[in-house]
Amino acid sequence: MPRDIAIPLGNGRISFYAKRTQTLFDKSGVNTTIKIGGINENAVADNAPPKVKLYMNDKTFVSGGITNESPLFLAYLEDENGINTASGIGHDIVAILDGNESAPYKLNDYYETELDNYQQGKLKFPFRNLSKGLHTITFKAWDVYNNLVTAEIQFMVLSDESISISNVLNYPNPFVNYTQFWFSHNKPFETLEVQVQVMTITGKIVWTKTKPSLVLKQYAAK
């Protein structure tokens, strides 16, 4: 539970139920000597903010890359004591687009913890119909001790009407018998037919590979 949520201390109550001829009756409850609520005053202090990694469309994205007009914003969070999703005053998980703090996107309901692991989780939020050009998302999240993490990611929105390619490279370079080719594009969830050619410095083609592949931001050809 977040640190700023009030948890009144009081006696617990046990409710009794009785069953007669398949009918369930709610009987009177009774107070117990078991105390419910309160906080652990001796809990270990936590002053470390959560860790976060941000992406657009998929985890291969590098800040400053290109996207389509309706990209998927991804945030992967980790904290020793868990992420605050119950908000509290000023403690929402938010994304601020292009510095517009008067209209933040509240993302509490989009956060999901990993199965059987409250310390890690992720959220996916779809942006819609963004204008072409450079955009910045400022992301803020809190752990249950109200430690704040802030991170930013930039991306360039290009038109969905035609494919655009950037950051074409290969590694290792130079190479003898092995290399990988990488590029970014604005068709993250479409099946593309990709052709890679290797040429000599005089322009002679020495190797060609064509491959249809579901590409989620970057493509590698060996």
Side-chain angles (χ1 to χ4, degrees):
M1 299 295 291
R3 186 175 183 178
D4 54 354
I5 287 182
I7 309 176
L9 182 64
N11 291 335
R13 182 181 180 87
I14 297 178
S15 295
F16 294 91
Y17 296 87
K19 191 174 184 180
R20 178 188 300 164
T21 62
Q22 306 302 316
T23 301
L24 192 65
F25 296 92
D26 186 358
K27 297 300 182 180
S28 298
V30 58
N31 287 331
T32 71
T33 58
I34 301 173
K35 295 294 183 180
I36 303 296
I39 61 174
N40 182 4
E41 299 290 349
N42 299 317
V44 178
D46 179 1
N47 298 312
K51 299 176 182 178
V52 62
K53 295 181 179 179
L54 306 180
Y55 306 95
M56 303 302 297
N57 289 325
D58 70 81
K59 293 176 71 173
T60 65
F61 185 85
V62 177
S63 184
I66 61 178
T67 73
N68 52 325
E69 295 173 338
S70 298
L72 187 66
F73 172 67
L74 308 175
Y76 290 79
L77 289 151
E78 180 179 353
D79 187 83
E80 180 182 2
N81 292 293
I83 301 299
N84 183 350
T85 59
S87 103
I89 299 176
H91 293 154
D92 289 301
I93 302 174
V94 298
I96 299 170
L97 182 63
D98 298 330
N100 186 8
E101 296 189 3
S102 63
Y105 294 84
K106 292 186 179 181
L107 307 180
N108 299 336
D109 293 340
Y110 292 86
Y111 181 75
E112 299 178 357
T113 60
E114 296 294 333
L115 182 63
D116 298 326
N117 185 357
Y118 70 92
Q119 296 178 327
Q120 297 181 359
K122 62 181 180 295
L123 64 84
K124 300 179 180 180
F125 179 78
F127 282 90
R128 299 297 186 210
N129 302 318
L130 297 181
S131 61
K132 300 178 186 63
L134 183 65
H135 293 277
T136 300
I137 293 176
T138 303
F139 177 78
K140 297 181 180 182
W142 309 76
D143 64 15
V144 294
Y145 278 74
N146 291 335
N147 297 305
L148 170 66
V149 63
T150 301
E152 284 191 350
I153 189 169
Q154 289 189 325
F155 57 100
M156 180 70 71
V157 171
L158 301 180
S159 173
D160 289 342
E161 296 177 359
S162 60
I163 187 169
S164 297
I165 296 175
S166 68
N167 301 324
V168 180
L169 57 89
N170 71 293
Y171 182 84
N173 185 12
F175 68 96
V176 177
N177 54 18
Y178 171 86
T179 191
Q180 286 187 321
F181 295 87
W182 299 86
F183 64 87
S184 298
H185 63 85
N186 62 330
K187 298 289 185 179
F189 305 111
E190 296 185 22
T191 300
L192 305 178
E193 183 174 287
V194 179
Q195 184 181 84
V196 179
Q197 292 182 333
V198 176
M199 303 179 184
T200 66
I201 58 175
T202 61
K204 180 182 178 181
I205 298 175
V206 296
W207 182 83
T208 298
K209 184 171 184 179
T210 301
K211 181 179 180 181
S213 177
L214 181 63
V215 181
L216 296 182
K217 186 61 186 174
Q218 291 186 339
Y219 173 83
K222 300 178 182 179

